[in-house]
Amino acid sequence: MQQVKLSTDTDMVVLTQTELDELRKQSQQAVEESLIGARWTMTDVIKRLSGYRREELITRVLIPNKDELDKIGAILSWPIGRSGRYLFKATVMAQWMEDNLDRISHGGWD
């Protein structure tokens, strides 16, 4: 049985695996709730991907997945030509990035 122990000079907390799982669930729910109604710009997405370069993100991640991202509603606005900007639905885009993080982190789709 796994346990988590937090010890400071005066306090100790011991959690069972079930308690730890419940805390993780509550934490995930809080993150999701904090994104409800939020919209991200390209800068927000790049920040969450720890500085992924804009051009690489566009050419290796967004464009190859345009149909999927449109279908799931992750992108609210695609730029038209060289004008306009990307606008993302934070809740959907966050989950999509989490689900595809390994691929994104290893260079995306070529």
Side-chain angles (χ1 to χ4, degrees), residues 15-33:
L15 300 174
T16 65
Q17 185 64 45
T18 302
E19 292 168 329
L20 179 59
D21 291 343
E22 181 60 28
L23 284 175
R24 286 180 179 151
K25 180 180 173 183
Q26 290 172 5
S27 176
Q28 179 64 28
Q29 184 177 4
V31 168
E32 290 171 5
E33 289 174 3

Side-chain angles (χ1 to χ4, degrees), residues 41-65 93 96-97 100-110:
T41 64
M42 180 64 81
T43 302
D44 296 320
V45 172
I46 290 170
K47 179 181 174 184
R48 283 161 177 80
L49 292 174
S50 298
Y52 214 97
R53 291 187 2 201
R54 179 184 174 88
E55 286 305 313
E56 288 180 352
L57 180 61
I58 292 169
T59 59
R60 294 185 175 182
V61 177
L62 299 179
I63 291 174
N65 294 290
M93 192 62 182
W96 187 85
M97 288 188 323
N100 293 284
L101 192 56
D102 286 340
R103 184 101 186 240
I104 293 167
S105 297
H106 290 96
W109 291 253
D110 288 324

Side-chain angles (χ1 to χ4, degrees), residues 54-109:
R54 179 184 174 88
E55 286 305 313
E56 288 180 352
L57 180 61
I58 292 169
T59 59
R60 294 185 175 182
V61 177
L62 299 179
I63 291 174
N65 294 290
K66 184 179 187 319
D67 292 341
E68 179 184 357
L69 293 168
D70 281 339
K71 182 179 178 181
I72 64 173
I75 299 187
L76 301 171
S77 174
W78 289 87
I80 299 170
R82 296 185 87 51
S83 64
R85 64 183 187 146
Y86 288 91
L87 193 60
F88 304 89
K89 185 174 182 180
T91 52
V92 179
M93 192 62 182
Q95 186 61 57
W96 187 85
M97 288 188 323
E98 178 66 23
D99 293 344
N100 293 284
L101 192 56
D102 286 340
R103 184 101 186 240
I104 293 167
S105 297
H106 290 96
W109 291 253

